[in-house]
């Protein structure tokens, strides 16, 4: 029998048969009225070519599609840059509790005390983990958090008569959202190079400082999987010229419970809750990107903030210097709830195990594979390791894209490739803390086999994948001329 995951699933339109029904409605028990008497004629279509199918056909179609889906629940997902860790199902159960899931946003504060207490506690927990003084849970995603962080920096400078500061420094190894967020906030961006160790080039940074600098956005650990060990000096330099320092917290999975950006000198940071704690990820949302700040930025936080009074918890809207409202009601409440439960489960002491195991797993992969693929910076890495397929490209014509496609033949989701941009033929792998030694060994064996295939039979790698419903695509053509709308075949005359 052929594996159904390897077959092409025909569209509902393609298996449709005229006259076939999935459901039969009961006889109408009210007076029948014509369509024209209910809907304006201009809005009535002459035809409606919907597929006609039985219920089993519909169920089997969507069941087959669900079996083709790859997720962290079905297999190892070694994506780099965007952490794909397992989400405990007990958190999902809690998020689906009617008391939380059906909470109406217009209920008065007096009737939502439980939800407000969760938000209040979470504000304080995030503040402590970040080493900051206050937190807003309002941003809907990490990039939204970046935008808010820069809005806070801008409000601070303008409030202190420093409106001429119009430039944000962004290292060249930054996430792509960093310069986009700065530009969206009206800032110019200035790129600082990486040095030979993969960290911020301090000499270059010093040469760019001026009274035009509003701040610096820095990811720590950076996107090369390395800890910025000059972070104290970097923060001193930016503060010395009057700027503020923003931490892109996308890589906090390597530090949570172990180190706090606020203690390093950062003034503001965002979390991606799905990356550091627990919440579904992928498909465009929902997300949540809380922003934590030092006291100097607290007056500008968005509304509302949850505060505790003698009469209970309330949503505070009266914040005189606020940047305003950036999200409706409670923010992404159910995402926040899942992460809240994740943190409570681990507790303050065990939360550091998350970072320890994420770093341990990444370094295990690094040491096991470094003789087969070159490591971009061969030293102790944090939660992700960056390999380069440049040698394989030069000697055998096999690129990072080919390696990623070949991994699909072994049943793995491809890792991030060609990022960060400063590493040629980059393969970015982030195992997270949730994978076992056996899972990592199986993945390592697959990568070693691919490395051997590249030498002995490079064509089998360059032509991969071989065991997926869709083989290798012309990626440029697929990106520029996507065909995502089905059209009926021409009728034979």
């Amino acid at each position: 029998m052929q594996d159904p995951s390897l077959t092409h699933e025909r569209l509902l339109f393609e298996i449709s048969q005229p006259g076939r029904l999935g459901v039969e409605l009961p006889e109408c028990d009210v007076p029948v009225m014509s369509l024209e008497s209910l809907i304006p004629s201009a809005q009535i279509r002459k035809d409606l070519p919907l597929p006609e199918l039985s219920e089993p056909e519909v169920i089997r179609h969507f069941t087959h599609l669900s079996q083709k889906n790859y997720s962290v629940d079905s297999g190892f997902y070694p994506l780099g840059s965007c952490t794909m860790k397992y989400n405990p199902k007990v958190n999902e159960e809690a998020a689906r509790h009617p008391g939380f899931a059906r909470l109406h946003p217009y209920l008065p504060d007096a009737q939502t005390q439980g939800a407000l207490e969760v938000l209040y506690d979470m504000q304080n927990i995030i503040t402590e983990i970040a080493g900051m003084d206050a937190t807003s849970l309002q941003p809907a995603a990490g990039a939204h958090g970046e935008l808010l962080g820069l809005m806070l920096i801008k409000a601070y400078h303008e409030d202190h008569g420093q409106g001429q500061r119009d430039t944000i420094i962004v290292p060249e190894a930054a996430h792509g959202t960093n310069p986009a967020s700065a530009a969206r906030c009206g800032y110019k961006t200035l790129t600082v190079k990486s040095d030979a160790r993969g960290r911020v080039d301090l000499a270059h940074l010093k040469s760019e400082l001026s009274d035009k600098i509003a701040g610096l956005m820095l990811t720590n650990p950076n996107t090369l999987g390395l800890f910025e060990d000059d972070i104290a000096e970097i923060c001193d330099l930016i503060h010395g010229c009057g700027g503020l320092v923003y931490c892109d917290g996308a890589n906090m999975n390597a530090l949570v419970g172990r180190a706090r950006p606020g203690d390093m000198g950062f003034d503001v940071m965002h979390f991606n809750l799905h990356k550091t704690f627990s919440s579904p990820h992928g498909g465009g949302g929902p997300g949540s990107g809380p922003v934590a700040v030092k006291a100097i930025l607290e007056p500008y936080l968005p509304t509302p903030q949850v505060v505790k009074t003698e009469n209970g918890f309330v949503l505070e809207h009266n914040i005189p210097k606020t940047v305003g409202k950036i999200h409706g009601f409670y923010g992404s409440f159910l995402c926040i709830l899942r992460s809240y439960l994740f943190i409570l489960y681990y507790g303050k002491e065990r939360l550091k195990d998350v970072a320890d195991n994420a770093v341990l797993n990444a370094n295990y992969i690094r040491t096991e594979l470094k003789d087969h693929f070159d490591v971009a910076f061969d030293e102790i890495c944090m939660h992700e390791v960056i390999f380069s397929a440049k040698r394989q490209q030069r000697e055998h014509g096999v690129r990072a894209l080919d390696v990623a496609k070949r991994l699909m033949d072994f049943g793995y989701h491809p890792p991030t490739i060609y990022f960060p941009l400063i590493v040629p033929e980059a393969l970015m792998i982030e195992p997270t803390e949730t994978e076992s030694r056996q899972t990592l060994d199986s993945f390592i064996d697959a990568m070693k086999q691919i490395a051997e295939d590249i030498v002995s039979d490079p064509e089998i790698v360059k032509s991969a994948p071989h065991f997926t419903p869709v083989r290798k695509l012309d990626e440029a053509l697929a990106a520029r001329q996507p065909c995502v709308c089905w059209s009926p075949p021409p009728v034979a005359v």
Side-chain angles (χ1 to χ4, degrees):
M1 179 183 295
Q2 189 173 17
D3 185 341
S5 68
L6 303 182
T7 60
H8 169 68
E9 184 69 21
R10 292 193 299 163
L11 303 177
L12 290 178
F13 291 99
E14 294 175 303
I15 57 178
S16 171
Q17 292 294 321
R20 188 163 293 171
L21 292 175
V23 62
E24 290 187 75
L25 298 177
E27 290 291 330
C28 184
D29 59 357
V30 297
V32 176
M33 300 179 69
S34 67
L35 194 60
E36 289 75 12
S37 66
L38 298 171
I39 301 175
S41 59
Q43 297 180 11
I44 297 177
R45 299 174 59 167
K46 299 299 181 187
D47 63 340
L48 188 60
L50 295 176
E52 299 172 76
L53 303 141
S54 68
E55 180 173 319
E57 289 172 320
V58 175
I59 294 298
R60 287 168 186 164
H61 173 76
F62 286 106
T63 300
H64 291 165
L65 289 183
S66 72
Q67 291 169 340
K68 294 177 186 296
N69 186 38
Y70 193 96
S71 71
V72 75
D73 284 351
S74 58
F76 180 38
Y77 212 117
L79 200 65
S81 187
C82 286
T83 305
M84 296 296 280
K85 60 164 65 178
Y86 178 75
N87 291 296
K89 295 299 171 272
V90 65
N91 300 346
E92 295 298 314
E93 287 292 321
R96 285 165 171 72
H97 188 283
F100 292 126
R102 297 180 183 176
L103 191 68
H104 196 286
Y106 278 120
L107 282 172
D109 293 349
Q111 295 181 27
T112 59
Q113 287 296 292
L116 293 180
E117 184 170 1
V118 167
L119 295 173
Y120 180 80
D121 284 352
M122 192 61 167
Q123 284 178 181
N124 292 335
I125 289 170
I126 292 294
T127 298
E128 181 176 352
I129 290 174
M132 299 285 183
D133 298 311
T135 293
S136 169
L137 301 176
Q138 289 285 303
H144 197 195
E146 290 179 27
L147 178 64
L148 172 61
L150 293 169
M151 291 169 66
L152 299 175
I153 290 174
K154 194 164 195 171
Y156 171 85
H157 285 313
E158 290 178 350
D159 197 29
H160 288 75
Q162 294 288 304
Q164 88 285 355
R165 295 183 180 274
D166 62 359
T167 303
I168 294 290
I169 296 175
V170 182
E172 64 178 357
H175 286 112
T177 50
N178 289 179
S181 296
R184 184 67 183 85
C185 201
Y187 281 118
K188 302 173 185 174
T189 58
L190 191 157
T191 302
V192 170
K193 298 177 182 176
S194 299
D195 63 16
R197 300 188 309 121
R199 274 79 170 185
V200 171
D201 187 323
L202 289 180
H204 188 201
L205 175 63
K206 291 175 184 176
S207 70
E208 298 290 358
L209 299 180
S210 73
D211 65 356
K212 303 291 284 183
I213 301 301
L216 174 144
M217 299 182 80
L218 184 66
T219 308
N220 199 18
N222 65 25
T223 59
L224 293 165
L226 305 173
F227 187 81
E228 291 281 358
D229 46 15
D230 291 323
I231 185 59
E233 184 174 357
I234 292 170
C235 291
D236 286 345
L237 287 169
I238 297 299
H239 290 150
C241 78
L244 299 178
V245 190
Y246 182 93
C247 176
D248 180 329
N251 291 346
M252 270 298 288
N253 206 41
L255 301 181
V256 61
R258 281 291 181 191
R260 308 193 307 172
D263 297 336
M264 301 174 198
F266 288 102
D267 301 292
V268 49
M269 70 169 294
H270 83 266
F271 285 80
N272 296 78
L273 291 188
H274 61 272
K275 291 186 178 185
T276 310
F277 307 112
S278 169
S279 198
H281 182 196
S288 183
V291 168
V293 299
K294 288 288 181 64
I296 58 170
L297 295 175
E298 184 175 0
Y300 313 102
L301 287 176
T303 59
Q305 284 287 100
V306 183
V307 300
K308 187 177 183 180
T309 71
E310 292 181 353
N311 299 319
F313 301 96
V314 299
L315 289 170
E316 178 59 73
H317 295 269
N318 184 23
I319 302 176
K321 292 187 177 182
T322 179
V323 295
K325 199 171 181 61
I326 62 165
H327 194 293
F329 306 104
Y330 310 115
S332 300
F333 174 64
L334 296 181
C335 289
I336 295 167
L337 176 64
R338 291 183 180 95
S339 293
Y340 177 68
L341 294 167
F342 181 92
I343 294 168
L344 291 185
Y345 171 79
Y346 278 98
K348 187 173 183 178
E349 289 304 315
R350 289 184 57 219
L351 199 59
K352 65 184 67 170
D353 293 345
V354 172
D356 290 355
N357 289 329
V359 172
L360 178 64
N361 282 356
N363 280 283
Y364 182 67
I365 289 177
R366 178 182 62 82
T367 55
E368 288 294 311
L369 289 179
K370 69 177 185 178
D371 291 336
H372 303 270
F373 293 92
D374 295 336
V375 182
F377 294 91
D378 191 13
E379 59 177 275
I380 296 293
C381 63
M382 301 301 287
H383 64 304
E384 59 193 2
V385 54
I386 318 297
F387 294 100
S388 170
K390 185 178 179 181
R391 175 164 52 88
Q392 283 80 4
Q393 182 195 24
R394 182 180 64 251
E395 297 177 357
H396 305 284
V398 175
R399 303 194 62 193
L401 173 68
D402 303 322
V403 175
K405 296 292 186 186
R406 181 61 171 157
L407 266 173
M408 296 168 70
D409 285 340
F410 288 86
Y412 295 105
H413 191 284
T416 297
I417 54 176
Y418 301 114
F419 182 79
L421 301 177
I422 56 177
V423 176
E425 299 298 324
L427 288 155
M428 182 186 232
I429 296 171
E430 180 184 359
T432 79
E433 79 282 3
T434 52
E435 301 302 337
S436 68
R437 166 79 178 272
Q438 289 71 31
T439 298
L440 299 184
D441 283 340
S442 178
F443 173 75
I444 288 166
D445 287 345
M447 288 290 287
K448 288 180 178 178
Q449 182 61 55
I450 293 172
E452 292 176 10
D453 289 343
I454 290 173
V455 176
S456 62
D457 185 7
E459 286 303 317
I460 198 172
V461 180
K462 287 195 278 188
S463 57
H466 303 280
F467 308 122
T468 54
V470 177
R471 305 298 189 264
K472 180 170 278 185
L473 300 173
D474 182 332
E475 302 220 350
L477 185 65
R480 293 170 184 168
Q481 299 179 33
C483 178
V484 295
C485 184
W486 180 80
S487 298
V491 179
V493 178

